[in-house]
Every structure is written in C-alpha cells, then in structure tokens.
C-alpha cells in the first residue's frame, strides 16, 4: 500500500494524493497550482500515473486548489466516479466552469499577444482545459451525504465528515483493505477555525493509522473574532465616513463572500457600521450564494438564520450582485461610499484586478485582505507592503491603505489545528503534515512532535511512502 504526495506537500496549492494497493489506484483531491511563474507549467506537467488506470477520485471540497485539475484529468482518460459531498457537487458545477472560462480567456489573450510578436511563457502554448471538457467532467461527479458510509470499492469504505472550512468541505475517513491487511487513513482536507460565522465547527476524529493534516496557518494564531470585527468596523467606518473613499475586498467567491455578507448584515443591524452600498462583483459568487441558501441545513445557527429569512437585509445596507461586464466597469466610476467584493481572493485573476487598478493609487481608499495569500500572488505582494506592483501589464503605485484582517480566515490556526489533533484517542502510527509552505509545515511538524509526542514529518512533493 503506497501513498504518493503529488502536490500540496511543503506548499499550499495543488492538493493531490495518490493511493495504490494491489489492484486499486485512486486520488484524494486533484487541485490546481496557483501563484508564481511556475504554477502553469506544473499544471500542464505529465501526470505521475496514467489517468485511465484510476478507479475513482475522492474530493475534500470545491476550492480550485483542491479540484481545479479534474477536467484535465478526465480529458486525459479518467472515466471513473468523482465522489464529493452533495454541496460540493453542486458547487463544482459553478467553480469548474468558471475556471475553464478563465483558462480559455487567458489562453486566447496569450495567443493574441503572440500574434503581435510579444513574447509569452512557453507553458502558455497549451490550453489547460476547455469549458466543454469541464462540462464533461461534471457528469462523473457523484454527491454523497455526510456521515454515511460510501463503498467506493470492494476494498474501500469512506466517510465524509464536516471539516468546517467552507460549505460542503469534508474530512475523509478511509478504511482500506489490501490483501490481509486493513488500514484507516484520515485526510483532514482544509480544516476551519472553530467559532467562525456560517459554517459548523470541524468534526473530531478519534482514530487513524495514517493521518494527513493541513498546516496552512500552522505557524501563527488568528486574531480573536471580536478584535477582528473591531478592526473591520474601524477600517470601513474610517474609509467610508472620514476619508470618503471605497473599500475594495478581494474575496473568494466561495465561502468568504457569503461570510462577509452575513457579518456586514449583523454589524449594520447592531448599528456598528454606517449605511453601506455593497457590490458583489462576481457572477460566480451570486451562483454560489444561491447554492449556499439551498444547503442552509449544513450551516451554523447564524447562517441558517440569515438564509432562512430570504437573505433579509437591515435598513441602511444595500447589496447588489453585478452580472455583466458593463455593470462591473460602471463600478469603477464610483469614487466614494462603496464596498466592492470581487474575486479572485489572491488578486491574480478575475474582476478584482480592475477594481484594484482604479483604487490602489487613491490614498482615500482601503484594500481589505481577508484570506490567505500564496507566495507569488499579487495579494501576497500587497500584504508584504510593496509600494509598487505590476497589474494588468502596468506598474501601479500603492497609495491606498492595505489591511490584513486575519481573524476571518477559513483555515484553522496553529492552536485550532493542535486542538483538533488532541481529539484523537491515541496517536496515529504516522502523521504527515501537508498543505503548508515549507517553513510552516516543517515548523508545525516539530511542534506536533514536541507537544503531542507523535511520529510526524512534512513530506516533499513527489515523495512516495509505504503504508
């Protein structure tokens, strides 16, 4: 029985793990690499196995760094089922089609530039996948209920447990039989921070032979939610009321946008925020929000209350979802009083780039970062305090204030990760720390070893271990 770390080992994106036994081969996650010049080349690289030989794929959740290469996998010959929670299955119909549209648009833009004699990266000669290929892939997705045993194969039984990260996110408990041996593997997926708005807390797991645990924020603590809310209120009030500018929020269309809407409604209802015009400039976010409402039974009390009343908004809060490109462009004519929430969350694609282009150079405006920013992304450069950034082929000075509101992260911080690990009744035989930048993953592995006394390490991409 072998475990192959295909991606997200001493790195954050590209989550993918290959499990092989006698007569069985399957993947857990099939994510896209994001951030940095090497990402597209890695997405286009050859698979470490023949996709036609895979029996099935298990998916922890719908974020593109966990699901984004599924259409390419299917286009290269994978014909088996893709198992995910029912909410994740619904979300994939939005996420993968949007990703494919971006792939086609970016590829076409590169071809036009090449036609005008401009040099472009060699990797961009190949289109990652098309909208048609993404649509074909969706036919292989099968929705599964939480906490119900899935016989994925005669030698594999799987339970999907709530990971508390985003709608539909799951911890995977796998019972594998290989000859006369049986092993229990647990994949944490991305774990959420307990007590956050909308989603439920991660489910505790008590036993595993082999555990893979994420470590995105394994080297730091999030600010307490109360302090985070205080900071968010201060930034919005100062920007809208005193400085007379706009607040620009790069936010993932899935998860963060819906949490922000609930939080803004609560803060306006309590009188902590001034009257606001909120523009959600993302057709995908609009679709995701509708899916969230359909699956409100999987949310916490705050989420169920908000969507159970038909997304009722308090007086003084206007929320508008923009659809067309023309509506999006019109927002750039608003010079003050607007909160614009747009994707992508790391500022490297989508409509957020245009809003940053029109507001980064204005000292009266604020850029509010509410999620993890991977190395190599524009969002990371803003968080790091760079005063000049390249955006849409042009250099821009950063005069707007940049605020990192870390307490709204969808990922568990160091202490929350350790708290989840302490829920195991006994140490797994082997624990692998994954889904964290190299220094973070290595440091968290050492902390787990020191505090819990577990056998643990952080593997490298491409490493293969015998279980």
């Amino acid at each position: 029985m072998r475990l192959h770390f295909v991606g997200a080992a001493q790195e954050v994106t590209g989550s993918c793990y290959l499990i092989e036994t006698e007569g069985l081969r399957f993947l857990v996650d099939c994510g896209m690499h994001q951030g940095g010049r090497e990402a597209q080349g890695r997405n286009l690289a050859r698979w470490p196995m023949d996709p036609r030989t895979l029996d099935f794929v298990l998916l922890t959740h719908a974020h593109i760094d966990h699901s984004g290469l599924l259409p390419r996998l299917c286009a290269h010959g994978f014909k088996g089922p893709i198992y995910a929670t029912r909410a994740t299955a619904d979300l994939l119909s939005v996420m993968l089609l949007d990703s494919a549209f971006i792939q086609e648009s970016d590829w076409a833009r590169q071809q036009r530039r090449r036609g005008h004699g401009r040099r472009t990266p060699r990797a961009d000669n190949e289109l990652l996948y098309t909208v048609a290929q993404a649509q074909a892939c969706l036919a292989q997705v099968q929705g599964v209920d939480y906490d119900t045993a899935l016989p994925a194969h005669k030698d594999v039984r799987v339970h999907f447990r709530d990971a508390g990260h985003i709608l539909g996110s799951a911890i995977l408990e796998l019972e594998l039989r290989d000859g006369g041996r049986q092993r229990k593997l647990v994949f944490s997926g991305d774990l959420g921070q307990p007590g956050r708005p909308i989603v439920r807390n991660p489910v505790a797991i008590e036993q595993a032979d082999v555990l893979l645990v994420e470590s995105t924020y394994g080297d730091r603590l999030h600010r307490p939610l109360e302090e985070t809310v205080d900071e968010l209120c201060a930034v919005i009030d100062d920007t809208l009321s005193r400085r007379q500018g706009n607040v620009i929020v790069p936010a993932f269309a899935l998860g963060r946008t819906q949490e922000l809407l609930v939080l803004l409604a609560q803060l306006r209802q309590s009188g902590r925020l001034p009257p606001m015009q909120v523009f959600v400039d993302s057709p995908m976010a609009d679709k995701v929000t509708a899916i969230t409402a359909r699956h409100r039974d999987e949310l916490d009390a705050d989420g169920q209350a908000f969507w159970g009343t038909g997304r009722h908004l308090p007086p003084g809060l206007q929320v508008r979802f923009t659809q067309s490109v023309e509506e999006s462009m019109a927002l750039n004519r608003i010079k003050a009083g607007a909160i614009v929430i747009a994707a992508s969350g790391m500022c490297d694609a989508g409509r957020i780039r245009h809003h940053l282009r029109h507001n980064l150079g204005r000292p009266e405006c604020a850029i509010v970062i509410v999620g993890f920013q991977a190395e190599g992304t524009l969002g990371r450069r803003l968080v790091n305090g760079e005063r000049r950034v390249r955006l849409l082929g042009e250099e821009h000075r950063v005069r707007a204030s940049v605020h990192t509101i870390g307490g709204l992260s969808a990922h568990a911080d160091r202490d929350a990760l350790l708290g989840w690990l302490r829920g195991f009744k006994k140490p797994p035989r082997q624990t692998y720390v994954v889904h964290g930048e190299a220094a973070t993953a290595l440091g968290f592995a050492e902390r787990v070893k020191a505090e819990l006394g577990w056998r643990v390490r952080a593997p490298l991409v491409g490493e293969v271990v015998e279980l």
Side-chain angles (χ1 to χ4, degrees), residues 110-385:
Q110 293 289 357
Q111 301 313 300
R112 289 194 297 270
R113 292 177 65 189
R114 188 172 290 111
H116 289 108
R118 297 177 66 181
R119 295 184 64 184
T120 59
R122 185 176 178 183
D124 289 337
N125 285 324
E126 183 181 348
L127 177 59
L128 194 61
Y129 52 82
T130 67
V131 170
Q133 288 169 334
Q135 289 173 326
C137 166
L138 291 171
Q140 295 172 234
V141 177
Q142 297 186 22
V144 179
D145 290 324
Y146 278 123
D147 304 323
T148 299
L150 166 71
H153 182 271
K154 65 181 179 63
D155 293 326
V156 183
R157 188 172 69 166
V158 186
H159 285 87
F160 289 74
R161 312 294 190 188
D162 198 334
H165 172 60
I166 60 168
L167 178 71
S169 62
I171 302 160
L172 301 183
E173 284 190 287
L174 284 69
E175 297 173 9
L176 279 73
R177 187 169 59 250
D178 184 19
R181 298 172 299 170
Q182 184 156 320
R183 296 284 186 272
K184 182 177 180 182
L185 276 64
V186 172
F187 293 79
S188 75
D190 286 357
L191 294 170
Q193 180 79 356
R196 281 176 46 254
I198 295 190
V199 292
R200 298 178 295 207
N201 290 343
V203 169
I205 306 297
E206 296 183 346
Q207 189 270 330
D209 295 310
V210 178
L211 168 66
L212 276 71
V213 60
E214 70 120 320
S215 60
T216 312
Y217 283 102
D219 62 345
R220 71 199 84 171
L221 301 178
H222 297 322
R223 296 185 67 181
L225 187 58
E226 288 185 6
E227 293 181 16
T228 297
V229 169
D230 290 344
E231 183 180 4
L232 181 64
C233 288
V235 171
I236 292 175
D237 190 38
D238 180 64
T239 305
L240 299 186
S241 301
R242 186 183 68 82
R243 292 157 58 186
Q244 296 293 300
N246 295 323
V247 177
I248 308 299
V249 187
F252 296 107
L254 169 53
R256 195 59 42 82
T257 295
Q258 292 73 37
E259 291 172 357
L260 281 170
L261 291 177
V262 172
L263 187 57
L264 291 174
Q266 292 173 337
L267 293 172
R268 176 57 195 159
Q269 182 71 51
S270 64
R272 296 193 61 185
L273 286 177
M276 296 173 287
Q277 292 185 86
V278 178
F279 297 92
V280 181
D281 190 22
S282 169
M284 183 169 69
D286 192 8
K287 296 173 184 175
V288 168
T289 302
I291 292 172
T292 302
R294 292 206 303 269
H295 291 275
R296 60 180 176 269
D297 289 347
E298 296 181 11
L299 306 177
D300 68 4
D302 288 340
Q304 291 187 30
F306 183 75
W307 271 281
T309 57
R311 212 164 72 194
H312 175 71
L313 300 176
L317 175 61
Q318 299 178 7
V319 176
R320 178 182 171 189
F321 286 81
T322 59
Q323 296 293 334
S324 68
V325 173
E326 291 73 21
E327 288 178 302
S328 176
M329 293 172 64
L331 298 182
N332 293 319
R333 295 195 290 269
I334 301 175
K335 299 304 179 184
I339 299 175
V340 179
I341 303 171
S344 72
M346 296 186 193
C347 309
D348 266 6
R351 295 181 177 183
I352 189 63
R353 295 178 296 176
H354 299 277
H355 300 304
L356 289 172
R357 179 186 184 188
H358 285 84
N359 291 274
L360 270 178
R362 303 176 58 216
E364 65 270 28
C365 293
I367 313 301
V368 176
I369 306 291
V370 293
F372 183 82
Q373 306 297 309
E375 285 186 359
T377 62
L378 173 58
R380 183 64 164 262
R381 294 195 289 276
L382 292 173
V383 167
N384 288 344

Side-chain angles (χ1 to χ4, degrees), residues 388-400:
R388 288 183 179 274
V389 296
R390 194 159 186 81
L391 176 62
L392 295 171
E394 302 171 347
E395 190 173 87
H396 294 265
R397 287 190 63 185
V398 181
R399 295 187 178 93

